[in-house]
Short mmCIF file of all heavy atoms in Angstrom, two decimals:
data_model
loop_
_atom_site.label_atom_id
_atom_site.label_comp_id
_atom_site.label_asym_id
_atom_site.label_seq_id
_atom_site.Cartn_x
_atom_site.Cartn_y
_atom_site.Cartn_z
N ARG A 1 168.66 110.45 211.22
CA ARG A 1 169.33 109.35 211.93
C ARG A 1 169.48 109.65 213.42
O ARG A 1 169.54 108.73 214.23
CB ARG A 1 170.70 109.08 211.31
CG ARG A 1 170.63 108.29 210.04
CD ARG A 1 172.01 107.89 209.50
NE ARG A 1 171.85 107.22 208.23
CZ ARG A 1 171.74 107.85 207.06
NH1 ARG A 1 171.83 109.16 207.00
NH2 ARG A 1 171.58 107.17 205.95
N VAL A 2 169.53 110.93 213.78
CA VAL A 2 169.72 111.29 215.20
C VAL A 2 168.52 112.02 215.79
O VAL A 2 168.45 112.24 216.99
CB VAL A 2 171.01 112.13 215.40
CG1 VAL A 2 172.25 111.31 215.09
CG2 VAL A 2 170.96 113.42 214.59
N PHE A 3 167.56 112.40 214.95
CA PHE A 3 166.38 113.09 215.45
C PHE A 3 165.19 112.81 214.53
O PHE A 3 165.14 113.32 213.42
CB PHE A 3 166.60 114.60 215.55
CG PHE A 3 165.45 115.32 216.19
CD1 PHE A 3 165.21 115.21 217.54
CD2 PHE A 3 164.59 116.10 215.42
CE1 PHE A 3 164.15 115.86 218.14
CE2 PHE A 3 163.52 116.75 216.00
CZ PHE A 3 163.30 116.64 217.36
N GLY A 4 164.31 111.96 214.98
CA GLY A 4 163.11 111.64 214.19
C GLY A 4 163.04 110.19 213.79
O GLY A 4 162.02 109.54 213.97
N GLY A 5 164.11 109.69 213.18
CA GLY A 5 164.14 108.29 212.76
C GLY A 5 163.14 107.98 211.66
O GLY A 5 162.63 108.86 210.98
N ASN A 6 162.88 106.68 211.49
CA ASN A 6 161.92 106.24 210.48
C ASN A 6 160.48 106.48 210.88
O ASN A 6 159.61 106.67 210.02
CB ASN A 6 162.06 104.73 210.20
CG ASN A 6 163.34 104.37 209.51
OD1 ASN A 6 164.23 103.82 210.14
ND2 ASN A 6 163.45 104.67 208.23
N ILE A 7 160.21 106.43 212.18
CA ILE A 7 158.82 106.50 212.63
C ILE A 7 158.66 107.53 213.72
O ILE A 7 159.42 107.55 214.70
CB ILE A 7 158.35 105.12 213.14
CG1 ILE A 7 158.43 104.09 212.02
CG2 ILE A 7 156.92 105.21 213.69
CD1 ILE A 7 158.08 102.67 212.44
N GLY A 8 157.69 108.39 213.53
CA GLY A 8 157.28 109.33 214.57
C GLY A 8 155.81 109.10 214.86
O GLY A 8 155.05 108.67 213.98
N TYR A 9 155.41 109.35 216.08
CA TYR A 9 154.01 109.13 216.44
C TYR A 9 153.63 110.02 217.60
O TYR A 9 154.47 110.47 218.38
CB TYR A 9 153.76 107.65 216.80
CG TYR A 9 154.62 107.16 217.93
CD1 TYR A 9 154.20 107.24 219.25
CD2 TYR A 9 155.88 106.64 217.68
CE1 TYR A 9 154.99 106.82 220.30
CE2 TYR A 9 156.68 106.21 218.72
CZ TYR A 9 156.24 106.31 220.02
OH TYR A 9 157.05 105.90 221.05
N CYS A 10 152.35 110.30 217.71
CA CYS A 10 151.83 111.04 218.86
C CYS A 10 150.38 110.62 219.07
O CYS A 10 149.69 110.22 218.14
CB CYS A 10 151.93 112.55 218.64
SG CYS A 10 150.98 113.17 217.24
N VAL A 11 149.97 110.70 220.31
CA VAL A 11 148.59 110.40 220.69
C VAL A 11 148.01 111.67 221.29
O VAL A 11 148.69 112.38 222.05
CB VAL A 11 148.55 109.24 221.71
CG1 VAL A 11 147.14 109.03 222.25
CG2 VAL A 11 149.07 107.96 221.08
N ARG A 12 146.78 111.99 220.95
CA ARG A 12 146.20 113.24 221.42
C ARG A 12 146.08 113.25 222.95
O ARG A 12 145.81 112.21 223.57
CB ARG A 12 144.86 113.52 220.74
CG ARG A 12 143.79 112.52 221.05
CD ARG A 12 142.53 112.76 220.26
NE ARG A 12 141.85 113.98 220.65
CZ ARG A 12 140.68 114.36 220.14
NH1 ARG A 12 140.08 113.62 219.23
NH2 ARG A 12 140.13 115.48 220.54
N PRO A 13 146.28 114.38 223.59
CA PRO A 13 146.35 114.44 225.05
C PRO A 13 145.15 113.87 225.79
O PRO A 13 145.32 113.27 226.86
CB PRO A 13 146.53 115.93 225.33
CG PRO A 13 147.26 116.44 224.13
CD PRO A 13 146.68 115.66 222.98
N VAL A 14 143.95 114.02 225.27
CA VAL A 14 142.77 113.60 226.00
C VAL A 14 142.72 112.08 226.21
O VAL A 14 142.00 111.60 227.08
CB VAL A 14 141.48 114.12 225.32
CG1 VAL A 14 141.13 113.32 224.08
CG2 VAL A 14 140.32 114.16 226.28
N VAL A 15 143.54 111.32 225.45
CA VAL A 15 143.56 109.87 225.63
C VAL A 15 144.94 109.36 226.07
O VAL A 15 145.22 108.16 225.99
CB VAL A 15 143.09 109.12 224.35
CG1 VAL A 15 141.61 109.38 224.10
CG2 VAL A 15 143.93 109.49 223.14
N TRP A 16 145.79 110.25 226.56
CA TRP A 16 147.09 109.81 227.09
C TRP A 16 146.89 108.81 228.21
O TRP A 16 145.93 108.89 228.99
CB TRP A 16 147.87 111.01 227.63
CG TRP A 16 148.52 111.87 226.59
CD1 TRP A 16 148.65 111.61 225.25
CD2 TRP A 16 149.12 113.15 226.80
NE1 TRP A 16 149.30 112.65 224.63
CE2 TRP A 16 149.60 113.60 225.55
CE3 TRP A 16 149.30 113.96 227.92
CZ2 TRP A 16 150.25 114.82 225.39
CZ3 TRP A 16 149.95 115.17 227.76
CH2 TRP A 16 150.42 115.59 226.52
N GLY A 17 147.83 107.88 228.33
CA GLY A 17 147.84 106.96 229.45
C GLY A 17 146.90 105.78 229.33
O GLY A 17 146.65 105.07 230.31
N ASN A 18 146.38 105.52 228.12
CA ASN A 18 145.43 104.43 227.92
C ASN A 18 145.97 103.31 227.02
O ASN A 18 145.20 102.50 226.53
CB ASN A 18 144.12 104.97 227.34
CG ASN A 18 143.37 105.81 228.34
OD1 ASN A 18 143.01 105.33 229.41
ND2 ASN A 18 143.14 107.08 228.03
N GLY A 19 147.27 103.30 226.78
CA GLY A 19 147.87 102.24 225.98
C GLY A 19 147.78 102.42 224.48
O GLY A 19 148.21 101.55 223.72
N LEU A 20 147.24 103.55 224.02
CA LEU A 20 147.06 103.73 222.58
C LEU A 20 148.37 103.95 221.85
O LEU A 20 148.50 103.56 220.69
CB LEU A 20 146.10 104.90 222.32
CG LEU A 20 144.66 104.63 222.76
CD1 LEU A 20 143.82 105.89 222.66
CD2 LEU A 20 144.05 103.52 221.91
N GLY A 21 149.36 104.55 222.50
CA GLY A 21 150.66 104.75 221.86
C GLY A 21 151.31 103.42 221.52
O GLY A 21 151.88 103.25 220.43
N THR A 22 151.22 102.46 222.42
CA THR A 22 151.81 101.13 222.19
C THR A 22 151.11 100.43 221.02
O THR A 22 151.76 99.85 220.15
CB THR A 22 151.70 100.28 223.47
OG1 THR A 22 152.38 100.96 224.52
CG2 THR A 22 152.31 98.91 223.26
N ILE A 23 149.79 100.52 220.99
CA ILE A 23 149.02 99.90 219.90
C ILE A 23 149.34 100.59 218.58
O ILE A 23 149.58 99.94 217.55
CB ILE A 23 147.51 99.98 220.21
CG1 ILE A 23 147.17 99.11 221.43
CG2 ILE A 23 146.68 99.56 219.00
CD1 ILE A 23 145.79 99.36 222.01
N GLN A 24 149.35 101.93 218.60
CA GLN A 24 149.61 102.67 217.37
C GLN A 24 151.00 102.35 216.82
O GLN A 24 151.15 102.12 215.61
CB GLN A 24 149.49 104.18 217.64
CG GLN A 24 149.75 105.01 216.39
CD GLN A 24 149.69 106.49 216.69
OE1 GLN A 24 150.07 106.94 217.75
NE2 GLN A 24 149.20 107.25 215.73
N LEU A 25 152.02 102.32 217.67
CA LEU A 25 153.36 102.02 217.18
C LEU A 25 153.40 100.61 216.58
O LEU A 25 154.04 100.40 215.54
CB LEU A 25 154.40 102.19 218.28
CG LEU A 25 155.84 101.87 217.85
CD1 LEU A 25 156.28 102.70 216.65
CD2 LEU A 25 156.80 102.07 219.02
N HIS A 26 152.74 99.66 217.19
CA HIS A 26 152.69 98.30 216.63
C HIS A 26 152.12 98.34 215.20
O HIS A 26 152.69 97.73 214.28
CB HIS A 26 151.85 97.38 217.52
CG HIS A 26 151.73 96.00 216.98
ND1 HIS A 26 152.76 95.07 217.08
CD2 HIS A 26 150.72 95.39 216.33
CE1 HIS A 26 152.36 93.95 216.49
NE2 HIS A 26 151.13 94.10 216.04
N PHE A 27 151.01 99.03 215.02
CA PHE A 27 150.41 99.15 213.68
C PHE A 27 151.39 99.82 212.70
O PHE A 27 151.52 99.41 211.55
CB PHE A 27 149.12 99.97 213.74
CG PHE A 27 147.95 99.30 214.38
CD1 PHE A 27 146.85 100.06 214.77
CD2 PHE A 27 147.90 97.94 214.61
CE1 PHE A 27 145.75 99.47 215.37
CE2 PHE A 27 146.80 97.33 215.20
CZ PHE A 27 145.72 98.10 215.58
N LEU A 28 152.07 100.87 213.17
CA LEU A 28 153.00 101.60 212.30
C LEU A 28 154.18 100.72 211.90
O LEU A 28 154.66 100.79 210.76
CB LEU A 28 153.50 102.87 212.99
CG LEU A 28 152.46 103.99 213.12
CD1 LEU A 28 152.93 105.04 214.13
CD2 LEU A 28 152.18 104.63 211.77
N LEU A 29 154.66 99.90 212.81
CA LEU A 29 155.76 99.00 212.49
C LEU A 29 155.35 97.99 211.43
O LEU A 29 156.15 97.66 210.53
CB LEU A 29 156.25 98.30 213.75
CG LEU A 29 156.96 99.22 214.76
CD1 LEU A 29 157.10 98.52 216.11
CD2 LEU A 29 158.31 99.68 214.23
N MET A 30 154.12 97.52 211.48
CA MET A 30 153.64 96.60 210.43
C MET A 30 153.60 97.30 209.08
O MET A 30 153.95 96.72 208.05
CB MET A 30 152.28 96.03 210.81
CG MET A 30 152.36 95.05 211.98
SD MET A 30 150.83 94.12 212.28
CE MET A 30 149.70 95.42 212.75
N GLU A 31 153.17 98.58 209.07
CA GLU A 31 153.16 99.35 207.82
C GLU A 31 154.58 99.60 207.32
O GLU A 31 154.84 99.55 206.11
CB GLU A 31 152.42 100.68 208.02
CG GLU A 31 150.93 100.54 208.25
CD GLU A 31 150.18 99.98 207.06
OE1 GLU A 31 150.62 100.17 205.90
OE2 GLU A 31 149.13 99.35 207.28
N ALA A 32 155.50 99.89 208.23
CA ALA A 32 156.89 100.13 207.84
C ALA A 32 157.48 98.88 207.17
O ALA A 32 158.22 98.99 206.18
CB ALA A 32 157.72 100.52 209.06
N LYS A 33 157.15 97.72 207.69
CA LYS A 33 157.64 96.49 207.08
C LYS A 33 157.09 96.33 205.66
O LYS A 33 157.81 95.92 204.75
CB LYS A 33 157.26 95.28 207.94
CG LYS A 33 157.84 93.98 207.40
CD LYS A 33 157.62 92.83 208.35
CE LYS A 33 158.28 91.57 207.79
NZ LYS A 33 158.20 90.45 208.74
N LYS A 34 155.81 96.69 205.45
CA LYS A 34 155.22 96.61 204.10
C LYS A 34 155.96 97.54 203.13
O LYS A 34 156.09 97.21 201.95
CB LYS A 34 153.75 97.02 204.14
CG LYS A 34 152.84 96.03 204.82
CD LYS A 34 151.41 96.57 204.82
CE LYS A 34 150.51 95.80 205.75
NZ LYS A 34 149.18 96.43 205.85
N ILE A 35 156.43 98.68 203.62
CA ILE A 35 157.15 99.64 202.78
C ILE A 35 158.53 99.08 202.41
O ILE A 35 159.10 99.46 201.41
CB ILE A 35 157.28 101.00 203.51
CG1 ILE A 35 155.91 101.68 203.55
CG2 ILE A 35 158.31 101.90 202.86
CD1 ILE A 35 155.86 102.91 204.45
N GLY A 36 159.05 98.16 203.21
CA GLY A 36 160.35 97.57 202.94
C GLY A 36 161.43 97.93 203.94
O GLY A 36 162.60 97.60 203.75
N ILE A 37 161.04 98.59 205.03
CA ILE A 37 162.01 98.92 206.08
C ILE A 37 162.29 97.66 206.88
O ILE A 37 161.35 97.01 207.36
CB ILE A 37 161.47 100.06 206.97
CG1 ILE A 37 161.28 101.32 206.13
CG2 ILE A 37 162.40 100.32 208.15
CD1 ILE A 37 160.55 102.45 206.85
N GLN A 38 163.55 97.31 207.02
CA GLN A 38 163.92 96.08 207.74
C GLN A 38 164.25 96.35 209.20
O GLN A 38 163.95 95.53 210.07
CB GLN A 38 165.09 95.40 207.05
CG GLN A 38 164.73 94.93 205.65
CD GLN A 38 165.92 94.34 204.92
OE1 GLN A 38 167.05 94.42 205.37
NE2 GLN A 38 165.65 93.74 203.78
N THR A 39 164.89 97.48 209.46
CA THR A 39 165.21 97.89 210.83
C THR A 39 164.73 99.33 210.98
O THR A 39 165.21 100.22 210.27
CB THR A 39 166.72 97.81 211.11
OG1 THR A 39 167.15 96.46 210.90
CG2 THR A 39 167.02 98.22 212.54
#
């Protein structure tokens, strides 16, 4: 609840700064909803 939360993510360093973290988190949030996580 105070460290980690429901979703953790990382993007490999060679592609940092290219918007992939934002896209990846969006995909992960859709998967979390399928699992039944509401918030």
Side-chain angles (χ1 to χ4, degrees):
R1 281 186 184 85
V2 294
F3 186 73
N6 291 106
I7 299 176
Y9 58 91
C10 62
V11 173
R12 64 186 291 184
V14 77
V15 293
W16 282 350
N18 291 301
L20 292 172
T22 301
I23 294 166
Q24 180 183 35
L25 179 56
H26 178 77
F27 289 164
L28 289 165
L29 291 166
M30 290 191 295
E31 292 294 332
K33 185 172 183 175
K34 289 179 194 174
I35 289 170
I37 297 171
Q38 296 176 350
T39 301

